[in-house]
Amino acid sequence: MIKWQPYWDHHIPLPKLGPLYSRLVTAFVALICFINSYDGDFVFDDSEAIIHNKVAGIVGRADLLCALFFQLSFLVYCKAFQGGDKTFSVLWIFGSILLCAVAMLCKEQGITVLGVNAAYDILMVCNLNIYELAHQLSGLLMRLALLFLGGSFLLYARWRIMGTGPPSFTEVDNPASFAENVILRIVNYNYYYSLNAWLLLCPWWLCFDWSMGCVPLIKSAADWRIFWPLLLWCCLMGLVYQALCSQDSNKRRTLTFGLVLLVIPFLPASNLFFRVGFVIAERVLYLSSAGYCLILAYAVGYCSCHWKKHKVCGLLCSRLVSRSQQWRSEQSLFASALSVCPLNAKVHYNIGKNLADRGNQSAAVKYYREAVRLHPKYVHAMNNLGNILKERNELKEAEELLSAAVHIQPDFAAAWMNLGIVQNSLKKFDEAEQSYWNAIRFRKKYPDCYYNLGRLYADLNRSIDALNAWRNATMLKPDHSLAWNNMVILLDNTGNLAQAELIGKEALKILPKDHTIMFSLANVLGKQEKYKESEGFFLNALKINPNIASCHGNLAVLYHRWGKLDLAKRHYELSLRLDPSAPGTKENYNMLKRKLEQRQRAVG
């Protein structure tokens, strides 16, 4: 009866940019939609993890909101100059800073819009003309001071929100940042920059996660991948040269502002100022893609007489459609990642978890084992693999895996609890009890662990300890059905029928539709000869689930004792029809038939 619980539109005209900015906004929106179709940055590190993002339209909502308020902050800053280049509105500038704050609260990158606003002011409003700059210097300095003060305040606020310290990351999150050799660190950072640039130019190899061996480190000068950072910097230097030295002033401003939009929003993800928790995250390209779109739009417009623009758009649209198809299901998404990053342990882990969730445990084991092979300290893969092995009764290997997981990460409460379940199955009761208490020590509010601890105590006939453990489980999780039900069953088995009745009725106040508690309470009431009340709970349980053989069988016993033999006969037959091997039901039914025969003979 007592079972284990597994762990399981208004247009705002912009000065100086004219039609080009319209192209930028159109291209930016299109590219955001495109990037949105391939970026998710999933993290499935816990066996309880659930995929919340099922469709392309809602992926990376925080990043999309940040991009939205980033653009709004920039547009509002441009609005400040609608009265002309020499006048500006402080109110609109404060509005821009406020929108920047909202963007930053969505994602840290949002604060970089202040740098973009400053660059826009210098390049577009002041036109970067050294002879005229002096006449505008006082206004420019005032605006830059407002941006600087606003940015400083927002940085301080964000620092306080984060707990006055940076988040901690592990080597698997960003291995280059843990390289001891500074030269190797710089080379690998630049290689990451080149990969991000390639994702903007040709988003073909896309993956929901780029960590855990997806991008091996460059460790020597003989590695051919060094060519890509060199190519990136050559291209950037070429763009910078055109931006600074072109005879066309419009080209200079456009390319310079495009580079500003491309580079500044990417700085927080560049590892230059602080360590970030990823190798590549396609979502960080949302904001930088605005600069890419501006440069691309200018290039396409400049070369329109030579390019077939509809072919370029068709290619990007076809890629968008194909990637969106991959996001239609977890299975197709993870399979697409496997072809891009076959060395990524997290990809194998997620495929294994998806297979396990769909009931294909044999295939899941293969992927979990590969995840552990690729990353021997992947404790979450060990934990999930141990769970499957436990279900397959391969207890020794399950114990080894779970013991290794808690040795690697001593505060892994879920693994401690699962280890306790395995140890209990192996009759290692003292070790199992200690494992449960370790789990509770690292996770104070852990109702499932209290439940399993109570199950251990029940096996050891420590009834009071079992009841206390289950009571703790229901206090932490009032709708913990199994804990409530087991308390009723244990009190019933130990003869404390009155207390069992009180517990059962208390549970039904919280879980009024729980047929298992109704069933257990009906048994208790029947033993107290409260037949009418017991009958009501049995019938309510059968209304919720009419195919419970044991419920029909016990209701038949109730009628049998109550003297309602015809009803007893009917429910015995229903019980045997649902479960012919139900223990005791056939014997009780035979006893009833003999009694009915005797009554019939007596009447005759």
Side-chain angles (χ1 to χ4, degrees), residues 5 24 34 61-62 94 119 150 160 164 195 225 297 314 318 367 370 375 438-439 540 559 577 592:
Q5 173 168 307
L24 165 63
F34 174 70
R61 285 167 290 183
F94 275 115
R160 295 288 296 181
T164 67
L195 290 177
R225 291 177 296 168
S318 66
Y367 285 99
E370 182 64 10
H375 183 46
N438 283 336
N540 285 335
Y559 285 137
R577 192 181 308 152
L592 176 67

Side-chain angles (χ1 to χ4, degrees), residues 105-389:
L105 290 173
C106 295
K107 212 69 178 179
E108 294 85 348
Q109 276 182 293
I111 199 169
T112 59
V113 71
L114 297 179
V116 173
N117 290 344
Y120 172 82
D121 200 333
I122 296 170
L123 294 171
M124 302 299 179
V125 177
C126 297
N127 205 16
L128 200 64
N129 189 321
I130 196 64
Y131 301 106
E132 299 178 6
L133 188 60
H135 299 287
Q136 302 174 340
L137 192 57
S138 59
L140 173 63
L141 291 177
M142 180 181 177
R143 296 190 296 271
L144 294 182
L146 288 173
L147 293 175
F148 177 78
L149 292 174
S152 300
F153 174 76
L154 294 178
L155 284 174
Y156 175 76
R158 185 70 188 192
W159 180 69
R160 295 288 296 181
I161 291 170
M162 293 175 63
T164 67
S168 59
F169 302 108
T170 63
E171 186 173 355
V172 295
D173 297 320
N174 187 356
S177 65
F178 288 85
E180 295 182 2
N181 190 303
V182 177
I183 302 300
L184 286 180
R185 204 180 308 163
I186 293 172
V187 169
N188 280 282
Y189 285 162
N190 280 272
Y191 180 58
Y192 295 165
Y193 305 157
S194 66
L195 290 177
N196 279 281
W198 182 248
L199 287 176
L200 278 177
L201 290 169
C202 182
W204 198 257
W205 295 282
L206 306 174
C207 184
F208 67 88
D209 184 270
W210 292 83
S211 64
M212 288 194 173
C214 195
V215 183
L217 289 178
I218 296 175
K219 296 182 178 180
S220 71
D223 195 319
W224 65 271
R225 291 177 296 168
I226 290 180
F227 167 78
W228 296 114
L230 296 175
L231 180 60
L232 170 67
W233 283 107
C234 287
C235 293
L236 282 176
M237 290 302 102
L239 283 172
V240 169
Y241 176 81
Q242 290 294 319
L244 296 179
C245 303
S246 174
Q247 298 297 317
D248 186 342
S249 62
N250 183 56
K251 180 179 180 181
R252 288 199 307 270
R253 289 196 303 274
T254 301
L255 290 180
T256 302
F257 190 60
L259 287 169
V260 166
L261 278 171
L262 182 68
V263 174
I264 290 181
F266 184 75
L267 290 177
S270 65
N271 290 283
L272 290 177
F273 307 109
F274 47 81
R275 176 184 292 157
V276 298
F278 49 83
V279 176
I280 296 173
E282 294 154 7
R283 55 187 167 77
V284 303
L285 299 178
Y286 281 179
L287 301 179
S288 294
S289 61
Y292 165 71
C293 288
L294 180 55
I295 296 172
L296 182 63
Y298 183 85
V300 170
Y302 187 79
C303 305
S304 58
C305 57
H306 304 291
W307 289 10
K308 300 291 186 180
K309 289 182 283 185
H310 61 280
K311 292 184 178 179
V312 177
C313 293
L315 181 62
L316 291 175
C317 287
S318 66
R319 180 59 180 135
L320 168 62
V321 170
S322 67
R323 185 57 175 170
S324 294
Q325 289 296 319
Q326 292 171 344
W327 274 92
R328 291 181 69 86
S329 69
E330 300 166 13
Q331 186 179 4
S332 60
L333 175 65
F334 298 152
S336 69
L338 189 61
S339 63
V340 176
C341 290
L343 300 178
N344 190 334
K346 193 179 292 185
V347 170
H348 291 274
Y349 170 86
N350 283 327
I351 294 175
K353 186 177 185 304
N354 179 256
L355 289 167
D357 291 343
R358 292 189 286 115
N360 191 349
Q361 293 191 339
S362 298
V365 166
K366 182 183 74 170
Y367 285 99
Y368 281 142
R369 290 191 189 280
E370 182 64 10
V372 174
R373 186 191 71 81
L374 291 169
H375 183 46
K377 294 184 178 181
Y378 200 171
V379 293
H380 302 286
M382 293 178 182
N383 179 57
N384 285 15
L385 178 56
N387 278 335
I388 293 179
L389 296 175

Side-chain angles (χ1 to χ4, degrees), residues 6-46:
Y7 177 75
W8 293 99
D9 162 43
H10 179 71
H11 175 67
I12 302 177
L14 301 178
K16 304 299 182 182
L17 278 176
L20 185 59
Y21 191 78
S22 299
R23 294 189 221 169
L24 165 63
V25 172
T26 303
F28 179 72
V29 171
L31 195 66
I32 284 294
C33 294
F34 174 70
I35 296 175
N36 188 33
S37 71
Y38 68 75
D39 179 49
D41 201 36
F42 280 99
V43 178
F44 299 104
D45 278 346
D46 196 290

Side-chain angles (χ1 to χ4, degrees), residues 531 552-563 568 571-572 584 588:
Y531 296 136
H552 283 287
N554 284 19
L555 178 58
V557 171
L558 176 73
Y559 285 137
H560 197 160
R561 292 182 178 180
W562 199 358
H571 284 281
Y572 277 137
N588 291 337

Side-chain angles (χ1 to χ4, degrees), residues 474-549:
T474 57
M475 289 175 65
L476 293 170
K477 186 181 178 183
D479 61 346
H480 203 302
S481 172
L482 288 171
W484 284 113
N485 196 43
N486 280 8
M487 280 194 283
V488 176
I489 293 169
L490 182 58
L491 290 166
D492 182 3
N493 292 340
T494 56
N496 296 307
L497 299 179
Q499 190 178 355
E501 181 183 350
L502 290 174
I503 294 293
K505 289 180 177 179
E506 181 185 354
L508 285 176
K509 290 178 182 178
I510 300 170
L511 299 164
K513 300 296 183 181
D514 194 307
H515 63 86
T516 60
I517 297 175
M518 290 178 187
F519 172 75
S520 300
L521 179 57
N523 288 333
V524 171
L525 293 167
K527 291 179 182 180
Q528 298 180 85
E529 298 185 357
K530 298 180 179 180
Y531 296 136
K532 189 65 179 175
E533 194 175 359
S534 175
E535 178 192 30
F537 283 112
F538 274 129
L539 293 176
N540 285 335
L542 287 171
K543 281 181 184 177
I544 297 170
N545 191 341
N547 298 319
I548 309 174

